[in-house]
Amino acid sequence: MALAESRRRLLIEALGIAVSAIGFGFVYGLSARQAGFSPIDAVAMSVIVFGGAAQFAAVGYVAGGLAWPGVVLLTALLNARHLLYSVALAPWLQDVPRPRRAIMAHLLTDEAFAISIGHFRRLGRADERGYWIAAIASTFIPWNLATLAGVLVGGSIPEPSRFGIDIIFPAAMIGLAAGLLTGRREIVAAIVGAGVGVGVALFVSPAIGIVAGGLVGPAVGLLVPTTVAHETAPLGTPSSAARYAMPGAHFDRESGDREAGGREPGEREPGEREPGER
């Protein structure tokens, strides 16, 4: 896929995520205000920590009087899933200088990972500018602006849950994840991961549950033999990258100029060989 076209799709996906980030960031601003945070405190946390679930947890812990070592430990466990994201992105960004990679790591979120790695797979290579678009346009700017708005004007909404604002961001992530279910292997991983995550969260803690589900689910999914996986879009191929796209993000192409999955006519998938080639 051409770079310009893939970036256009990336931008549309980022704008869709930005809408949910505004809603979720506004709810965080409300929560921080109710917990006694000043506008400077709340905005500083959004800029420096920049981790939605961890920020919500930290606000609750602080409001409950938990000592700061406990806050740091529990939020670190909650954000441990980003280690998995980093491992997945590392091969694509190994040529980027370390100082810039450090900033990239700070801006890494669930949403930035999903749409940027989809962009990379569509292209078959990394695009550093595309990552910045994914990270900054989709979440960093809208999240911080919404945080400020929530702290300053959110006092007029005493119960945000009544309006369903708290479900916006999780719903957006479910929509992105659903498109990745391309075979029995992914379905098994999703079911096992969700089951383990909920079980551990109920009996131990939500932070540990997220990490446990994120590790056990994919591990069990990998045990499903390829012969019975029935994958319609194997991971790592352009057709699987298209599954990351949000509804309405696909552009119409002239008939016959590309094959299904975003390949040029005659273009082979990674690792695909010509008939008879060994």
Side-chain angles (χ1 to χ4, degrees):
M1 178 180 290
L3 176 61
E5 183 179 359
S6 186
R7 280 185 179 171
R8 284 196 300 269
R9 182 183 298 182
L10 175 73
L11 184 58
I12 290 177
E13 294 167 348
L15 292 176
I17 290 295
V19 173
S20 60
I22 290 172
F24 203 48
F26 188 79
V27 174
Y28 162 71
L30 286 174
S31 302
R33 178 189 179 96
Q34 294 172 355
F37 282 52
S38 71
I40 294 178
D41 293 335
V43 173
M45 179 177 280
S46 282
V47 172
I48 298 172
V49 177
F50 190 49
Q55 288 181 231
F56 272 98
V59 167
Y61 296 147
V62 170
L66 185 65
W68 71 265
V71 175
V72 172
L73 176 61
L74 292 174
T75 52
L77 287 174
L78 189 60
N79 271 349
R81 68 190 186 280
H82 288 80
L83 295 174
L84 304 177
Y85 298 157
S86 300
V87 169
L89 285 173
W92 297 93
L93 302 173
Q94 58 185 348
D95 294 331
V96 177
R98 287 189 177 181
R100 292 211 299 271
R101 272 188 287 168
I103 301 175
M104 286 178 161
H106 176 65
L107 298 176
L108 180 61
T109 61
D110 305 290
E111 297 73 30
F113 168 76
I115 61 179
S116 64
I117 201 169
H119 173 59
F120 294 169
R121 286 172 173 169
R122 285 194 295 266
L123 294 175
R125 60 181 176 82
D127 174 28
E128 185 180 351
R129 183 173 294 180
Y131 179 87
W132 295 117
I133 294 173
I136 295 175
S138 70
T139 45
F140 188 78
I141 292 177
W143 173 266
N144 281 280
L145 292 178
T147 294
L148 180 60
V151 174
L152 294 179
V153 304
S156 60
I157 306 179
E159 295 183 39
S161 59
R162 292 174 54 190
F163 301 94
I165 300 176
D166 52 343
I167 201 62
I168 294 175
F169 218 53
M173 282 308 299
I174 291 174
L176 283 173
L180 301 181
L181 300 180
T182 63
R184 294 175 181 173
R185 182 174 291 166
E186 290 79 13
I187 294 175
V188 169
I191 293 174
V192 173
V196 170
V198 171
V200 174
L202 291 175
F203 291 98
V204 184
S205 77
I208 297 178
I210 291 175
V211 177
L215 293 174
V216 176
V220 174
L222 289 174
L223 297 179
V224 177
T226 305
T227 54
V228 299
H230 292 293
E231 292 180 300
T232 58
L235 291 177
T237 64
S239 52
S240 75
R243 297 300 183 109
Y244 282 98
M246 297 184 67
H250 296 275
F251 291 89
D252 293 330
R253 301 183 179 90
E254 293 182 3
S255 176
D257 64 342
R258 291 182 188 271
E259 297 177 352
R263 287 181 291 169
E264 298 285 357
E267 181 183 353
R268 291 177 288 171
E269 299 277 13
E272 184 181 350
R273 297 176 179 178
E274 294 285 357
E277 182 181 354
R278 295 187 178 182

